């Protein structure tokens, strides 16, 4: 009776191990196995959100709103980098008040060749990457615009990123949904894109996350001054389309939208300013 | 010993009552005293936020983001009214998932005479007011756009509204800040406005809150089809500029911004839709 129970136990254990081995081969990309990690290790990883921000009329509002979303995300570390020559008191106060775990950086972006106004946030993003490489041993990196909209589910899904993950993004690239839209067993079958469809990995900045281990394996890879900077960055990290871990409930859900805050139109501000000091006290906005 | 203690107690009580009486006369407007309430009663009032919403590309994103702000507000009841002939599954799901205390209503707005596209949200706001009059015995009413930005401090300040309160609003009326900007002892000294400066109470919809008791005192007052609908509404409720309780740290802080989400530009959507079914699965956005 005891012997047969022990035999049953060992048989079960062997079947279990073989099962895990084959499931692993089936659904995980090669690069995951190369990193040699088990799934359980990824369930409580810290997410490092990298956000570039710059002074403008709607900045305080946009950051305030984003902070209220981030306050709901457990194990989150916000790397907020100001596109400025100095850190500003406005941003410093917002961060201190937020109660978030954060790192406050600054770096002045430069205009560059590929865009009328420069490829957005090139130097700030690379400075934040350098900070991550120098300070983080384990986690997931995600690039976040300060006026995008994030569903909390997105963070819980990206948290299990083993190497690099990808998901659909709403309202970007002239489309309602862009990126992976049909996925199976964690692999992307169909990419919905209309711009430069032959890119290595055709995805917007809001549509992927990477494990910091990958950044450390490729210590020199950073964003370059090109329109398809996301795809080049991911390619330089050794990624291909079928190495990307598909999230978003197998790409059936949009959990991030590339919303943009309309520029404030202050057509009456000059008139108000001429009313005199009494009407124009210093109020931080 | 016992007698002198009792005497001291009575003297203290009389001084206290007189003190409260004079403080009350000093800082509270007449209308507050007419309602006959003490300050303490207002500290934990429920805030009834009334929000009109309509189907559009950025609706789910805007509501998602607003929900994450509202989740941080204690004693809050959201009256979300859809501008539609029927309630939509998208909004219903968002509300259910939110965990907020809410009432889900719907009412189709009509175009009206005073604006190319109609005075915004006229019928939905009045339908929500009717719901409040029928269902709420005590609380504060605040009208909230679904794409505005709210600092949590705003709710804590408006919660103590005795009759009607007012505060500065950011990025509205063509101005960085509009509404009261210099206040003292809870009274407004200076109104910063450039449009129709002679309005009874020159304030945007996002800049005031009213106690439900006032709504019940004036059971027939509702929004009318006019450009200055806020001011007419407040005037019809018997309010004047000096009856408004000034909030916003005596009008020195902006805690609400009239942000607007840019319309999504889907210039590539037609191209994507021609790619066929595989590229166009049904994904709620």
């Amino acid at each position: 009776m005891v012997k047969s129970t022990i035999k049953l136990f060992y048989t079960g254990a062997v079947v279990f191990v073989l099962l895990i081995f084959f499931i692993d081969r089936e659904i995980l990309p090669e690069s995951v196995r190369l990193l040699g990690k088990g799934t359980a290790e990824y369930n409580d990883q810290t997410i490092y959100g990298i956000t570039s921000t710059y002074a403008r009329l709607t900045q305080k509002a946009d950051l305030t709103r984003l902070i209220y979303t981030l306050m709901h995300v457990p194990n989150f570390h916000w790397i907020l980098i100001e596109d400025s020559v100095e850190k500003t008191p406005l941003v410093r106060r917002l961060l201190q008040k937020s109660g978030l775990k954060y790192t406050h950086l600054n770096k002045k972006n430069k205009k560059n060749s590929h865009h009328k106004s420069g490829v957005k946030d090139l130097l700030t993003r690379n400075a934040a990457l350098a900070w991550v490489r120098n300070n983080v041993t384990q986690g997931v990196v995600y690039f976040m615009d300060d006026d995008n909209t994030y569903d909390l589910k997105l963070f819980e899904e990206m948290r299990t990123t083993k190497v690099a993950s990808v998901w659909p993004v709403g309202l970007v690239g002239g489309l309602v949904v862009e990126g992976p839209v049909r996925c199976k067993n964690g692999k992307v079958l169909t990419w919905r894109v209309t711009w430069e469809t032959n890119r290595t990995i055709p995805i917007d900045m809001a549509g992927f996350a990477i494990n910091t281990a990958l950044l450390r394996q490729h210590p020199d890879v950073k964003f370059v001054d090109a329109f398809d900077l996301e795809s080049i960055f991911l390619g330089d990290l050794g990624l291909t389309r079928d190495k990307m871990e598909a999230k978003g409930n197998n790409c059936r859900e949009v959990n991030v939208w590339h919303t943009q805050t309309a520029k404030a139109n202050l057509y009456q501000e000059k008139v108000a300013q001429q009313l005199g000091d009494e009407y124009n006290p210093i109020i931080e906005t």
Side-chain angles (χ1 to χ4, degrees), chain A residues 176-225:
Chain A
V176 176
V177 186
E178 192 197 59
V181 290
R182 276 201 329 121
C183 303
K184 203 177 167 183
N185 295 338
K187 297 265 194 186
V188 184
L189 304 177
T190 307
W191 297 81
R192 188 177 201 260
V193 283
T194 58
W195 180 74
E196 297 282 338
T197 54
N198 290 327
R199 284 176 286 162
T200 305
I201 299 170
I203 193 72
D204 178 75
M205 194 68 79
F208 67 87
I210 49 175
N211 195 300
T212 55
L214 189 66
L215 283 180
R216 294 158 73 93
Q217 284 180 346
H218 301 266
D220 298 323
V221 172
K222 56 185 183 177
F223 288 104
V224 295
D225 180 11

Side-chain angles (χ1 to χ4, degrees), chain A residues 12-272:
Chain A
V14 169
V15 168
F16 183 72
V17 167
L18 285 173
L19 204 66
I20 291 296
F21 179 72
F22 283 109
I23 286 174
D24 189 68
R25 289 197 69 83
E26 179 71 20
I27 63 169
L28 301 185
E30 186 185 25
S31 48
V32 174
R33 293 194 302 279
L34 289 178
L35 285 172
K37 298 266 185 181
T39 308
E41 290 180 55
Y42 301 99
N43 286 338
D44 59 354
Q45 291 187 112
T46 295
I47 295 165
Y48 292 84
I50 293 176
T51 302
S52 295
T53 188
Y54 67 100
R56 62 197 188 274
L57 284 164
T58 60
Q59 182 186 34
K60 191 175 174 187
D62 283 333
L63 290 175
T64 295
R65 188 149 67 170
L66 180 52
I67 283 169
Y68 292 149
T69 294
L70 298 178
M71 280 167 68
H72 294 294
V73 184
N75 295 334
F76 183 84
H77 184 125
W78 199 19
I79 301 166
L80 186 61
I81 180 158
E82 293 192 70
D83 177 5
S84 60
V85 289
E86 284 193 330
K87 294 183 182 71
T88 64
L90 185 148
V91 171
R92 181 176 286 122
R93 276 195 292 269
L94 279 175
L95 285 168
Q96 284 169 347
K97 199 178 80 167
S98 74
L100 293 173
K101 193 166 180 182
Y102 67 84
T103 297
H104 186 188
L105 304 172
N106 68 294
K107 176 88 188 172
K108 185 79 194 136
N109 280 312
K110 283 181 188 151
K111 305 251 176 202
N112 44 46
S113 59
H114 286 267
H115 197 280
K116 197 172 50 171
S117 58
V119 165
K120 231 184 110 211
D121 305 326
L122 189 66
L123 300 189
T124 46
R125 284 204 183 98
N126 284 333
L129 276 177
W131 185 91
V132 170
R133 284 190 170 104
N134 289 332
N135 294 279
V136 179
T137 51
Q138 175 59 272
V140 174
V141 167
Y142 180 47
F143 296 94
M144 309 175 67
D145 280 3
D146 61 5
D147 57 352
N148 278 357
T149 304
Y150 304 90
D151 189 290
L152 295 180
K153 201 169 175 186
L154 183 78
F155 299 98
E156 286 328 295
E157 289 209 320
M158 78 169 71
R159 194 182 298 285
T160 58
T161 297
K162 294 166 192 70
V163 178
S165 55
V166 73
W167 51 80
V169 179
L171 309 178
V172 75
L175 299 170
V176 176
V177 186
E178 192 197 59
V181 290
R182 276 201 329 121
C183 303
K184 203 177 167 183
N185 295 338
K187 297 265 194 186
V188 184
L189 304 177
T190 307
W191 297 81
R192 188 177 201 260
V193 283
T194 58
W195 180 74
E196 297 282 338
T197 54
N198 290 327
R199 284 176 286 162
T200 305
I201 299 170
I203 193 72
D204 178 75
M205 194 68 79
F208 67 87
I210 49 175
N211 195 300
T212 55
L214 189 66
L215 283 180
R216 294 158 73 93
Q217 284 180 346
H218 301 266
D220 298 323
V221 172
K222 56 185 183 177
F223 288 104
V224 295
D225 180 11
F227 271 135
D228 56 336
L229 71 169
E230 297 96 336
S231 183
I232 294 173
F233 176 70
L234 294 169
D236 288 350
L237 288 170
L239 296 163
T240 54
R241 292 191 185 196
D242 59 327
K243 283 181 184 167
M244 300 305 283
E245 303 151 48
K247 306 284 184 186
N249 189 16
N250 261 320
C251 313
R252 281 188 289 256
E253 285 171 10
V254 169
N255 289 318
V256 53
W257 297 264
H258 186 250
T259 42
Q260 297 182 287
T261 305
K263 226 181 136 180
N265 182 354
L266 303 186
Y267 57 96
Q268 285 291 310
E269 190 55 32
K270 265 193 182 169
V271 175

